[in-house]
Amino acid sequence: MTPELKKLQLRRGEDRRLRVGHLWVFSNEVDVARTPLKDFAPGEAACVVDAGGRPLGTAYVNPASLICARMVSRKPDAPLGPDLLRRRLTDALALRERLIGVPFYRLCFGEGDFLPGLVVDRYGDVAAAQITTAGMEMHRDDIASVLQDMLGLSALLWRNDTASRELEGLPRIVETAFGAVPETVTVEESGARFTAPLASGQKTGWFYDQRCNRIEAARFAQGARVLDAFCYLGSFGVMAARAGAAAVTFLDASRPALDAALANAAANATCETDAVHGDALDTLATLRDEGRRFEVVCIDPPAFIKRRKDVKQGLAAYQRVNELAIDLVADGGVLVTCSCSQHLDRDALRRVLLHAAGRRRTQAQIVFQGHQGPDHPVHPAMPETDYLKCFIARVSRA
């Protein structure tokens, strides 16, 4: 018989978000007089109840975190474990297999797949996974076992090196779960083949979230000079090259990333390519001063706003980089501008684009509005999961 779960009781009126599906409980929402957080061990399962004692579902708890509990089920007695993990990951796999024809995708997107604290990227028979919470960390062996059984993986890498783990009292480490993890993997996407590093790459190695936006941006590339700034492994530029770009320039602060971008371009297309190494803000200004112009300019920067207190400074950075990018767009060309900052909403990025065009005395026409691909499903109760924004705008100097 499964032992009865401890109860985590909320204060009056603090159950509204959870009733519509939100998965997070904040520490100031808990009635600590009735259910002290200190009585829970990090990662311990609990039945979350409202102020009247009515069950809302099952969560795991971390008393040391501001997000002190994360829901895993609307049932009151369904703690995280091998069975629930298998059901959730089986559902996630079925969705990806329906939407994406090859085994290269984000298999699990945390809250978007009702498994808060877990991200899994698949590269054929190899996967990279990241755990960000103490509750999910308790089940890492179960996760590895389920993934190996479901996917027939030859190797699994834990990319548990994100800073958010420290907020949960967890160490930052990169290590092999099982198998012989290769230094690089092949990624098949939209007919292209890329080489991506795993242990030494950014995040979990590849950014599947831009899949749809890369396809859309490539529609404007035929015969164009293309600048792929913050290029990492060159995904936007390579897709542009495959679509018939006349020339592609890659720009990144990482020399190894530029080398990989050039290699990926050479493996997929025959157009002229070059690489510019340097800080993007400084280098964009240098290219402008040199009189360089491009029919397609893509800027896909890292998150300039990682925390709410960084909004003002980060917004200024987005404004600056968009103005510099518009300087480089040839008359009638397009700007592809992206943001992965959770704390910068879609309308704020649109205003950045609007003000950048105005300050540069240009006209902008938004012709495409994108977000993350379908292997990063958005939880309708959690705007936090709708993090990626992309605008493609035609720029006119007339």
Side-chain angles (χ1 to χ4, degrees), residues 213-229 235-241 243-251 274 284 287 292-299 324-338 367 390-395 397:
N213 300 327
R214 288 190 274 259
I215 295 171
E216 193 67 26
R219 292 178 58 193
F220 299 88
Q222 186 171 13
R225 295 164 296 176
V226 177
L227 173 63
D228 184 359
S235 56
F236 274 96
V238 169
M239 295 306 293
V248 176
T249 296
F250 297 103
L251 166 60
D274 68 308
L284 289 172
L287 292 175
R292 298 283 298 274
R293 296 294 182 270
F294 304 86
E295 284 74 38
V296 178
V297 173
C298 174
I299 50 172
L324 288 169
I326 285 179
D327 286 339
L328 291 166
V329 179
D331 186 25
V334 299
L335 169 65
V336 183
T337 181
C338 308
V367 296
C390 174
F391 290 110
I392 301 179
R394 183 174 179 269
V395 176
R397 303 185 184 279

Side-chain angles (χ1 to χ4, degrees), residues 294-366:
F294 304 86
E295 284 74 38
V296 178
V297 173
C298 174
I299 50 172
D300 184 20
F304 288 150
I305 307 173
K306 296 184 182 297
R307 299 165 295 182
R308 289 193 184 278
K309 68 178 185 177
D310 299 330
V311 167
K312 184 177 180 180
Q313 181 179 357
L315 195 58
Y318 280 112
Q319 193 67 55
R320 178 62 175 156
V321 74
N322 275 268
E323 290 178 20
L324 288 169
I326 285 179
D327 286 339
L328 291 166
V329 179
D331 186 25
V334 299
L335 169 65
V336 183
T337 181
C338 308
S339 169
C340 61
S341 292
Q342 173 188 315
H343 300 297
L344 183 79
D345 64 30
R346 190 170 306 277
D347 198 50
L349 182 61
R350 183 191 59 78
R351 290 194 299 271
V352 165
L353 173 60
L354 171 68
H355 295 153
R359 290 173 183 175
R360 289 317 198 241
R361 297 182 179 277
T362 63
Q363 300 280 5
Q365 297 170 291
I366 295 174

Side-chain angles (χ1 to χ4, degrees), residues 31-71:
D31 187 339
V32 293
R34 294 186 177 183
T35 54
L37 282 169
K38 62 181 177 60
D39 290 351
F40 291 88
E44 185 175 357
C47 175
V48 179
V49 299
D50 66 12
R54 292 175 289 271
L56 299 169
T58 308
Y60 59 73
V61 181
N62 187 349
S65 176
L66 175 63
I67 304 174
C68 68
R70 299 174 195 253
M71 306 292 292

